[in-house]
Amino acid sequence: MSWVDSAGGADGLAGSPAASPHSGAPARVLVETKLHAPPAREQVVLRERLLGRLDQVAGHRLTLLAAPAGYGKTSLLTAWVGAEAHSRPMAWLSLDADDNDASILWSYVLEALRRACPALDVVDDLASPSTPALVEVLLPRLVNALSDQAGVTLVLDDFHLLTDSRARASVRWLVEHAPDDFQLVVATRTEPDLGLSALRAHGQLTELRADDLRFNLDEADVFLNGRQMLGLSTSDVRLLVERTLGWPAGLYLAALSLQRAEDRHGLVSRFEASNRHVTDFLESEVLEANDPADQDLMARCAVLDRISGPLCDALTGQSGSHETLRRLARSNLFLTPLDDDGAWYRFHPLFAQLLRVQLERRHPGLANELHQRAFAWHRDRGDTATAINHALEAGLHSEAADLVAQTWYTQINLGRFHTVVAWTDRFPPRVLHSDVRLLLARAWALSASGQEAEAAESIVRVERLLDTHAGSLPDGFSSAEASLETLRGSFPWGNVREAHAHAVRALELEGPDSPWYPVARWGLAMADMWRGRFREAEQQYAEVIALANRRQGHWLILCASLAYCSMIAGEEGRTEAQARLVDECTLVAREHGLVNATSGPSMALGAMLNDRGRPAEALPVLQRGLTLARHQGQPLILLRTLRYLGDSLTMLGRTQEAAAVASEARMIMAACVFPAIDSPITPPTRRATSESTSRQPAPEPLTHRELTVLTLLAGKGSEADIGRELFVSHSTVHSHVRSIYRKLGAASRAEAVELGRNCGYLEMAVAPV
């Protein structure tokens, strides 16, 4: 699959000696041929009985075409979409293996829906779904947008190629929650895990299976005699239908062989369409119906998923392939054009499989060389992802590793964590485990997607190789050690002390001129913030923001830095700075498609709304942030989000839910090795106080004013109400509340009151004057 940047190359990185992290993320430009149905073919039979069944699906959530290869699923849907596109919005997406990365899948789905329905109100942050939190964050908003449209249909062809459980689960969620007048149509060779039993029981499923898709006698006669003009008798047509069991591909195989047969009746009598005979028939009748040059061209191109004239020239070492492909597509239904211009084609999977077998029989070992040529062709044109795939198929592990080492950071910035991990999975273990660049790319991708244990395994292997790898890396790091230290400083996993030490070391290794210096500085800022050193953290974040703005490309850490600076400003009661930073953070997130990639913008906005006494508005924002935080997998980010969520719930009087939030926070804290020196949530050394009924004073006493505020927190008034009662501003009250939380180690208002009561503080407090 090609991912083309604005300059015309793919991925925006191929061909560059080093993919610098400050070079900026490439624009998402999608493969056009995936986004519309293949052109209609003259030889295809218009199957009115099946088109009628597709039309009669009002109120059905899912229409399923499930049958093995060669049953005409794509041809039927192409004809149906062509007939219905004028009367309702019809979106088309041809799936392939790369769509197993949920970010790529939903980029295509959203674009297909927008093209079919330009009025679809899909907000900016849905345009770049760079997050694994699709079901919880992106899809509900897409469903809401679809609710405002009438009768939208989405066709997903080749659904069997979607093998990743998370990607399939996201489609199932859409099936279960889509508006009543939204229709999803799925064509697949295998049984999809889309909740078919429940849909069938509720009358919300239309199914076309192999028995439905088989040609009947009339359809076979139209195809064989009307389209192929074979002049067969009714008895011969009936015999072919019986021998093939109405299998469309089998009938077409027979037609190809009959076109050059002198004794057509005799050939019909000998025809067998069982699996045992299909390969022999394809070889002897279909391939041999073409001249040797065409046979050779088709066999060589069978290693490709998509075929173009120039690419075919590169593989065959000849010229003029474009015209040959156009001629073959006109006479051979097994070669399908993918666009109206005839620039790109693909073989029917059944035929491609045969061609690959034939290629190995005729030219043993040539497939490897062809993959090498395809790798070079795609690499030279900037199609990095496809180049990597061909390099891996060819066993060019060194070349593939070079490209992965150059491009992994850009893939991660686009939210394609699965893509990077899948690449590294395809290397033989001996290659992967001996290449520190691949292990580091894998560790970064796994960490960014919240997979701590898997990332740790790769990190251990990196540590074993550090002494064997000297010099800089293709991604711009000065050394493998620098990459590892920056990684560990960026993802503390609940151990702030170690993360701080790693961030300090990363800064020693990556000087101010390094493209990775802002990331290393960001790790240090994070560690200072988690330790409660807000002034130092704010200074560090300010430098990160300046560097990220100047060098560009580090949009994720720029967005996070603005978010955390706003939180610090809120902690210190600097409301104007807090609001300005929230606005800047939100702007960066929207401009660079990061609203769904990090919890930072939601946390910052939710905290500000709480501080303004607007918990009802803050609650849904923080709930969304919590979903993102869970997928990020970082305990400290999750803890801070829970803290703000607990504040909202407490201010709304939902004390039971607030207590549940506090309980979850304590469990997460208990699993942290060293959460912070001055944590916003109860640290391990203080946890016994919150769980004990003994009344022991907290380590740091509350001031007279804090005791008064604590007493009022035990009531039902909001912070704004408390401010009016004490004749002070809301920001002043909020500062006192934050101080109380910090001193008691509380995660929420309810927990602060409980801890204060257990410590005897409520009895010590005096009533406000």
Side-chain angles (χ1 to χ4, degrees):
M1 181 172 70
S2 303
W3 287 85
V4 188
D5 67 4
S6 56
D11 294 319
L13 289 166
S16 3
S20 172
H22 59 275
S23 59
R28 289 181 188 267
V29 180
L30 308 180
V31 178
E32 285 291 325
T33 54
K34 286 165 58 75
L35 291 166
H36 55 75
R41 311 292 297 278
E42 291 181 0
Q43 301 98 321
V44 172
V45 175
L46 198 62
R47 308 178 72 184
E48 296 289 354
R49 64 183 178 90
L50 298 180
L51 294 175
R53 288 188 60 181
L54 290 175
D55 286 336
Q56 297 170 2
V57 293
H60 288 195
R61 290 186 177 274
L62 176 65
T63 298
L64 177 68
L65 282 71
Y71 273 83
K73 300 181 292 294
T74 300
S75 296
L76 176 61
L77 288 177
T78 296
W80 180 59
V81 168
E84 296 297 320
H86 67 282
S87 60
R88 52 178 149 168
M90 304 284 282
W92 179 285
L93 174 58
S94 297
L95 297 170
D96 58 33
D98 287 337
D99 296 316
N100 281 295
D101 190 314
S103 172
I104 296 175
L105 168 65
W106 287 97
S107 291
Y108 272 108
V109 171
L110 292 170
E111 181 61 22
L113 289 170
R114 274 193 296 265
R115 292 189 180 196
C117 190
L120 187 68
D121 183 17
V122 182
V123 296
D124 292 342
D125 54 285
L126 294 187
S128 181
S130 53
T131 174
L134 287 164
V135 172
E136 301 92 335
V137 178
L138 184 148
L139 295 185
R141 304 177 73 185
L142 174 59
V143 166
N144 291 340
L146 288 170
S147 298
D148 296 331
Q149 306 301 317
V152 179
T153 297
L154 170 63
V155 177
L156 298 180
D157 196 20
D158 291 333
F159 190 80
H160 54 275
L161 297 177
L162 207 63
T163 57
D164 180 71
S165 59
R166 290 166 296 184
R168 293 173 75 96
S170 66
V171 176
R172 177 169 178 168
W173 192 97
L174 179 63
V175 172
E176 293 171 348
H177 296 85
D180 291 339
D181 59 352
F182 175 80
Q183 181 186 6
L184 180 66
V185 181
V186 168
T188 177
R189 293 188 207 167
T190 59
E191 194 74 2
D193 182 17
L194 295 176
L196 301 185
S197 297
L199 292 170
R200 194 179 291 117
H202 290 88
Q204 296 176 329
L205 175 65
T206 295
E207 296 178 83
L208 294 178
R209 300 278 181 171
D211 285 343
D212 302 297
L213 295 169
R214 300 183 196 279
F215 270 31
N216 59 28
L217 182 61
D218 291 338
E219 290 167 340
D221 184 65
V222 170
F223 174 68
L224 295 169
N225 291 326
R227 297 287 187 271
Q228 302 297 321
M229 304 182 69
L230 295 175
L232 299 178
S233 67
T234 301
S235 60
D236 282 341
V237 173
R238 181 178 290 108
L239 183 59
L240 281 176
V241 171
E242 291 173 357
R243 292 282 176 88
T244 62
L245 298 176
W247 180 40
L251 287 169
Y252 183 59
L253 292 175
L256 290 177
S257 58
L258 289 167
Q259 283 175 351
R260 63 189 186 92
E262 293 183 4
D263 181 7
R264 291 178 177 174
H265 175 73
L267 186 56
V268 167
S269 341
R270 298 192 305 272
F271 183 83
E272 292 283 353
S274 65
N275 290 337
R276 185 166 57 87
H277 293 283
V278 163
T279 299
D280 292 340
F281 233 88
L282 283 169
E283 179 182 3
S284 62
E285 303 296 339
V286 178
L287 278 179
E288 291 181 7
N290 296 279
D291 63 49
D294 287 348
Q295 292 180 42
D296 190 65
L297 180 144
M298 287 189 290
R300 289 170 185 262
C301 288
V303 301
L304 304 171
D305 291 330
R306 290 182 177 82
I307 309 164
S308 72
L311 176 55
C312 194
D313 286 345
L315 263 63
T316 61
Q318 302 172 356
S319 60
S321 299
H322 176 72
E323 288 304 320
T324 302
L325 290 172
R326 291 176 66 92
R327 173 172 52 79
L328 288 172
R330 285 194 296 269
S331 61
N332 187 342
L333 279 179
F334 287 110
L335 181 64
T336 305
L338 295 176
D339 53 43
D340 293 326
D341 299 328
W344 288 92
Y345 302 83
R346 71 175 172 188
F347 286 119
H348 187 285
L350 181 71
F351 193 52
Q353 184 178 356
L354 164 78
L355 289 172
R356 288 191 288 270
V357 171
Q358 293 304 310
L359 176 66
E360 188 60 28
R361 285 181 182 175
R362 299 180 182 195
H363 307 288
L366 182 61
N368 237 31
E369 181 182 339
L370 296 173
H371 278 297
Q372 291 178 30
R373 295 181 186 179
F375 153 72
W377 191 88
H378 286 289
R379 177 202 59 197
D380 294 345
R381 283 152 186 80
D383 189 348
T384 309
T386 307
I388 289 173
N389 290 333
H390 280 293
L392 289 169
E393 288 292 333
L396 299 177
H397 299 132
S398 176
E399 290 82 351
D402 288 344
L403 283 183
V404 172
Q406 292 172 18
T407 65
W408 69 265
Y409 184 70
T410 298
Q411 296 292 325
I412 285 177
N413 266 344
L414 291 173
R416 301 178 196 161
F417 313 132
H418 174 91
T419 295
V420 176
V421 174
W423 282 340
T424 59
D425 280 340
R426 292 177 61 189
F427 286 90
R430 61 177 177 79
V431 175
L432 173 63
H433 297 159
S434 63
D435 193 322
V436 72
R437 304 169 306 165
L438 292 178
L439 289 169
L440 282 167
R442 181 177 178 84
W444 276 96
L446 289 167
S447 297
S449 58
Q451 301 180 66
E452 179 182 5
E454 295 86 348
E457 181 183 342
S458 293
I459 288 173
V460 168
R461 296 186 182 278
V462 169
E463 290 177 320
R464 295 172 184 165
L465 296 176
L466 284 180
D467 292 338
T468 66
H469 191 282
S472 60
L473 300 181
D475 53 28
F477 271 113
S478 61
S479 65
E481 181 189 1
S483 178
L484 181 58
E485 293 294 336
T486 305
L487 168 66
R488 287 177 145 174
S490 300
F491 299 96
W493 302 113
N495 193 333
V496 176
R497 181 185 286 124
E498 280 195 6
H500 180 267
H502 289 304
V504 170
R505 177 60 177 156
L507 284 171
E508 293 173 356
L509 295 170
E510 294 294 313
D513 295 331
S514 166
W516 290 97
Y517 184 79
V519 182
R521 178 66 65 185
W522 180 72
L524 190 60
M526 292 279 286
D528 281 335
M529 184 184 71
W530 297 134
R531 299 190 305 169
R533 298 181 177 181
F534 292 150
R535 179 170 298 180
E536 294 90 334
E538 195 166 27
Q539 292 172 348
Q540 301 283 2
Y541 281 132
E543 185 172 355
V544 173
I545 291 168
L547 289 168
N549 276 320
R550 187 161 64 248
R551 295 179 179 177
Q552 300 191 346
H554 290 298
W555 306 121
L556 198 57
I557 63 169
L558 172 61
C559 183
S561 297
L562 290 165
Y564 292 132
C565 274
S566 77
M567 296 176 206
I568 292 173
E571 297 278 356
E572 298 179 346
R574 294 183 280 116
T575 56
E576 289 186 8
Q578 181 188 29
R580 174 180 55 79
L581 289 162
V582 168
D583 288 344
E584 291 180 19
C585 170
T586 303
L587 180 62
V588 170
R590 288 192 176 278
E591 284 183 347
H592 300 286
L594 301 175
V595 174
N596 293 319
T598 172
S599 60
S602 296
M603 289 170 61
L605 177 57
M608 186 185 74
L609 291 170
N610 275 345
D611 292 346
R612 301 295 188 277
R614 295 153 61 185
E617 296 174 56
L619 186 61
V621 174
L622 289 167
Q623 287 171 332
R624 182 167 177 266
L626 182 62
T627 297
L628 291 167
R630 293 193 195 283
H631 283 276
Q632 286 178 263
Q634 287 299 312
L636 301 179
I637 294 175
L638 184 54
L639 286 171
R640 185 165 286 270
T641 311
L642 287 168
R643 165 186 165 177
Y644 293 140
L645 183 61
D647 287 349
S648 294
L649 292 168
T650 301
M651 285 189 281
L652 291 169
R654 296 160 64 169
T655 54
Q656 227 174 1
E657 294 171 76
V661 166
S663 176
E664 180 183 356
R666 284 193 294 272
M667 287 190 292
I668 294 170
M669 181 66 72
C672 293
V673 177
F674 185 81
I677 292 173
D678 191 8
S679 172
I681 308 294
T682 313
T685 56
R686 300 182 191 172
R687 191 170 299 107
T689 302
S690 66
E691 296 171 355
S692 172
T693 57
S694 62
R695 295 186 175 182
Q696 299 176 1
E700 186 175 354
L702 301 183
T703 66
H704 175 82
R705 177 61 80 178
E706 288 167 353
L707 287 170
T708 302
V709 172
L710 178 60
T711 301
L712 295 172
L713 286 175
K716 294 185 177 181
S718 66
E719 289 185 10
D721 294 331
I722 293 172
R724 285 190 289 271
E725 187 167 354
L726 297 179
F727 298 98
V728 297
S729 69
H730 173 254
S731 61
T732 299
V733 174
H734 188 67
S735 295
H736 288 313
V737 171
R738 289 285 178 256
S739 179
I740 292 169
Y741 282 16
R742 178 179 59 80
K743 291 179 179 181
L744 294 179
S748 68
R749 179 172 178 168
E751 189 179 18
V753 171
E754 179 188 0
L755 291 171
R757 182 176 290 110
N758 289 337
C759 293
Y761 277 151
L762 292 184
E763 294 178 359
M764 296 165 55
V766 295
V769 178

